[in-house]
Amino acid sequence: MEYEAVIGLEVHAELLTRSKMFCSCPVVDLTEAEPNTAVCEVCAGMPGTLPVVNRRAVEYALRVALALECHIARESVFARKNYFYPDLPKGYQISQYELPLATGGRLPIRTSHGERSVRIRRVHLEEDTGKLTHVEGPEGPYSLVDLNRAGVPLLEIVSEPDMHTVEEVRAYGRGLRQLLRYLGVNTGDMQKGLLRFEANVSVRPKGSQELGTRVEIKNLNSFKALEEAVAFEIRRQIRVLEAGGRIEQETLGWDEARRVTVSQRGKEEAHDYRYFPEPDLPPLVVDDDWLEQVRAEMPELPWEKFRRFQEVYGLPEYETALLTADRPVADYFEVAVQAARKHGVREPLRVAHWMTGELFRLLNQRGLSIEEAPVPPEELAALLGFLQRGDINKNTAQRVLAEMFETGQRAQSIIEARGLRQVSDESRIHQWVEEVLQAHPDEVAKYVKGKEGVANWLFGQVMRKARGQANPQVVRKILMERLQALRRDQANA
Ligand code: ADP
Ligand code: MG
Ligand code: ZN
């Protein structure tokens, strides 16, 4: 029997607001701030305190919902999700439950099978919990609690069970991360837990319309973990079914070291959260004006930029994907293309290749982002102008770019200061060619007698004489003209 995997993802994204979801505590970097220094009565859950909704957080959520083409609820409701755990000082988490902010959207994805979209079930707002650190002490294990994260705005994005392969999971995961970064609402940092994925996985006989029993995999803090865990779980479930067994509905964790899923809790231990509407918050109302205002601030979306780059710049899919992966990269490219045009460089693909090749290599070597590039786009364009006009050749251009990177100097300064300008001047090149021919009469004689290969050797000698700075096309042209002339003279003699 053939099986088909069915996968749905739940994604939690911390929103990049300055303050928390329901109080004015700052949102701090957990790896930098002293633990428990960004906490107040409200997020610590003191009796008698009242939450107030963070307007910015709602706007960020609306950006995501609009981008995903969701239906946006004009009135949504916060609820209390009750459970006891040391990272939850209030004893409940405020989250949207029955009436979420947005429902029913879609995220376009691109795989080797082309384009399709994954349906979005819901997008809702909630608050993050504190962070526990478990320590193995000499007298036994204990846990540390940091409430700096308690109450940080969190967006949950839940897909329909619409994915069937690891490749689709990867495309969805990366696509959603890209979107959140484009919208400026999340950094996409999975290592720090600012973006967290949970995968729901089941399998069923191919062709069947019913859903199989699913498991939920938590603790996936990289795309590698997400993909490996899903792949592992699909294989495991198929093996269980083929052996005549049944899948238990349970919550699993991913053991990074052993690369297996491990049981965390079964269905019997499922929580009863006793949800009820948060009595301290009114329904969240989103009116037309507010929605229009958010819509007006929406940037170009990743898939829109992708299409535009293909149409306007005529770039192939591979380069387009690289250059639109991040907004700052795309912005750099567009500025560089504009500037390059002024320098006579008319093919955007040229700029694309220099960016995705040389520039990315230099950035990677030094672990820099495009925003930190010591070479601004206008200067990359200027360099390509020198190359285009034949002032320098490709090798020299690569060396100059590396030096621009190193010193922050302009292309022109480096080329002039170091006398790197390529010589295309025919009379200079004629002179070099003559000198080389005179210095090597034996080789010239061999060529004249029909040994073609000698021409390449002589070419090398001319380039050496020119310290690599002669325009190679011009050198070859003039050298061949001279050699052929010598051959003719010999034949006529
Ligand atoms: P819960 O909130 O208890 O986790 P949901 O019904 O909201 O349950 O589903 C959560 C996620 O699980 C969604 O992304 C959904 O697409 C996915 N899902 C639901 N049923 C299945 C299934 N049988 N196989 C795979 N994924 C599923
Ligand atoms: Mg779930
Ligand atoms: Zn607070």
Side-chain angles (χ1 to χ4, degrees):
M1 169 141 44
E2 265 209 79
Y3 290 92
E4 175 185 57
V6 177
I7 306 138
L9 294 183
E10 292 169 84
V11 178
H12 285 94
E14 275 195 11
L15 296 177
L16 275 171
T17 53
R18 272 185 303 200
S19 57
K20 290 188 179 179
M21 186 66 214
F22 300 112
C23 65
S24 56
C25 284
V27 173
V28 296
D29 186 329
L30 294 193
T31 60
E32 283 168 13
E34 193 68 17
N36 299 307
T37 52
V39 189
C40 71
E41 305 85 329
V42 180
C43 53
M46 299 289 186
T49 60
L50 288 174
V52 178
V53 171
N54 181 331
R55 193 179 164 88
R56 220 35 321 223
V58 177
E59 289 174 357
Y60 284 180
L62 288 173
R63 281 190 200 170
V64 176
L66 284 172
L68 294 172
E69 293 176 18
C70 291
H71 167 75
I72 291 165
R74 293 319 173 93
E75 258 192 51
S76 59
V77 171
F78 287 100
R80 286 190 186 179
K81 179 179 180 178
N82 299 280
Y83 65 99
F84 176 77
Y85 207 63
D87 63 4
L88 195 68
K90 292 203 287 268
Y92 58 86
Q93 178 192 31
I94 303 179
S95 172
Q96 298 194 307
Y97 181 58
E98 267 174 317
L99 295 169
L101 182 70
T103 50
R106 52 184 282 274
L107 178 75
I109 62 168
R110 184 185 305 274
T111 67
S112 55
H113 299 284
E115 274 179 74
R116 58 167 290 233
S117 58
V118 172
R119 288 172 303 151
I120 302 293
R121 181 176 287 181
R122 58 188 276 151
V123 175
H124 77 240
L125 276 162
E126 55 188 43
E127 56 177 336
D128 210 345
T129 59
K131 187 173 170 61
L132 297 181
T133 307
H134 305 292
V135 186
E136 278 306 326
E139 276 146 56
Y142 61 93
S143 297
L144 297 166
V145 187
D146 182 1
L147 295 183
N148 283 351
R149 201 179 70 181
V152 169
L154 201 59
L155 192 68
E156 180 167 338
I157 303 156
V158 183
S159 83
E160 291 293 341
D162 257 5
M163 288 160 270
H164 302 289
T165 63
V166 172
E167 192 192 5
E168 288 184 344
V169 169
R170 176 191 310 137
Y172 178 88
R174 291 191 181 271
L176 194 56
R177 177 176 184 274
Q178 182 191 29
L179 175 65
L180 296 172
R181 285 165 54 85
Y182 260 63
L183 296 173
V185 304
N186 181 271
T187 61
D189 193 332
M190 294 172 74
Q191 295 301 326
K192 281 191 178 165
L194 303 182
L195 181 63
R196 311 195 283 267
F197 285 83
E198 284 161 31
N200 293 268
V201 182
S202 64
V203 298
R204 65 184 175 195
K206 207 175 172 88
S208 158
Q209 291 306 307
E210 271 166 66
L211 291 173
T213 306
R214 67 168 154 136
V215 302
E216 183 169 346
I217 318 170
K218 294 185 179 288
N219 299 345
L220 301 167
N221 56 13
S222 66
F223 283 118
K224 183 165 170 278
L226 170 65
E227 290 164 28
E228 286 185 357
V230 169
F232 176 90
E233 197 49 35
I234 294 171
R235 285 196 304 271
R236 183 189 73 82
Q237 291 185 17
I238 292 175
R239 258 200 319 270
V240 169
L241 294 184
E242 280 181 339
R246 333 193 334 262
I247 304 301
E248 297 278 345
Q249 178 165 349
E250 59 182 342
T251 302
L252 304 173
W254 175 243
D255 184 328
E256 191 92 58
R258 289 165 51 225
R259 298 165 79 203
V260 294
T261 53
V262 287
S263 189
Q264 287 192 334
R265 57 171 192 248
K267 196 184 186 176
E268 320 78 61
E269 300 158 71
H271 287 295
D272 173 6
Y273 293 117
R274 296 169 290 118
Y275 281 98
F276 60 85
E278 167 61 64
D280 292 337
L281 286 169
L284 174 61
V285 177
V286 177
D287 60 23
D288 286 348
D289 284 354
W290 198 12
L291 203 53
E292 274 322 301
Q293 185 195 320
V294 174
R295 205 189 292 275
E297 287 168 8
M298 293 282 282
E300 184 179 33
L301 300 175
W303 47 91
E304 294 168 347
K305 205 185 278 292
F306 188 97
R307 192 165 320 124
R308 181 168 64 82
F309 270 39
Q310 290 208 302
E311 285 170 9
V312 174
Y313 302 117
L315 298 182
E317 191 161 316
Y318 178 75
E319 280 75 13
T320 312
L322 283 177
L323 292 171
T324 57
D326 269 316
R327 258 168 84 185
V329 170
D331 292 347
Y332 187 108
F333 172 74
E334 295 202 86
V335 175
V337 166
Q338 283 293 334
R341 219 165 260 146
K342 295 197 200 106
H343 292 286
V345 183
R346 311 226 155 263
E347 312 88 350
L349 188 56
R350 192 25 94 86
V351 180
H353 281 153
W354 276 83
M355 266 187 77
T356 58
E358 290 302 301
L359 187 70
F360 280 10
R361 193 175 55 76
L362 291 165
L363 289 170
N364 283 342
Q365 269 174 9
R366 289 168 185 70
L368 298 177
S369 71
I370 193 95
E371 289 120 306
E372 299 165 318
V375 178
E378 294 83 358
E379 278 304 307
L380 177 66
L383 176 71
L384 297 185
F386 284 108
L387 178 62
Q388 173 88 15
R389 290 188 301 273
D391 291 334
I392 55 175
N393 59 33
K394 195 171 165 222
N395 276 329
T396 307
Q398 283 172 350
R399 274 165 46 210
V400 172
L401 184 61
E403 198 169 325
M404 290 164 74
F405 219 84
E406 211 54 66
T407 63
Q409 279 184 297
R410 311 187 52 187
Q412 174 153 13
S413 325
I414 294 170
I415 292 167
E416 312 253 270
R418 309 245 330 254
L420 293 175
R421 209 177 270 276
Q422 167 176 271
V423 179
S424 302
D425 171 24
E426 301 213 355
S427 64
R428 278 286 294 287
I429 292 176
H430 257 294
Q431 207 179 322
W432 283 324
V433 168
E434 281 318 315
E435 282 169 27
V436 166
L437 296 185
Q438 270 163 32
H440 302 286
D442 296 351
E443 277 72 18
V444 173
K446 277 188 205 153
Y447 179 84
V448 168
K449 285 192 199 116
K451 211 163 168 222
E452 303 296 329
V454 179
N456 274 335
W457 184 85
L458 289 166
F459 170 80
Q461 294 305 306
V462 179
M463 288 305 284
R464 216 162 109 186
K465 196 158 207 67
R467 302 207 329 279
Q469 282 161 242
N471 182 326
Q473 276 96 41
V474 180
V475 170
R476 195 169 290 281
K477 181 178 130 258
I478 292 176
L479 175 67
M480 292 319 288
E481 279 168 10
R482 283 293 295 130
L483 286 175
Q484 257 130 45
L486 287 172
R487 244 187 210 167
R488 265 197 314 274
D489 293 349
Q490 177 75 13
N492 295 340

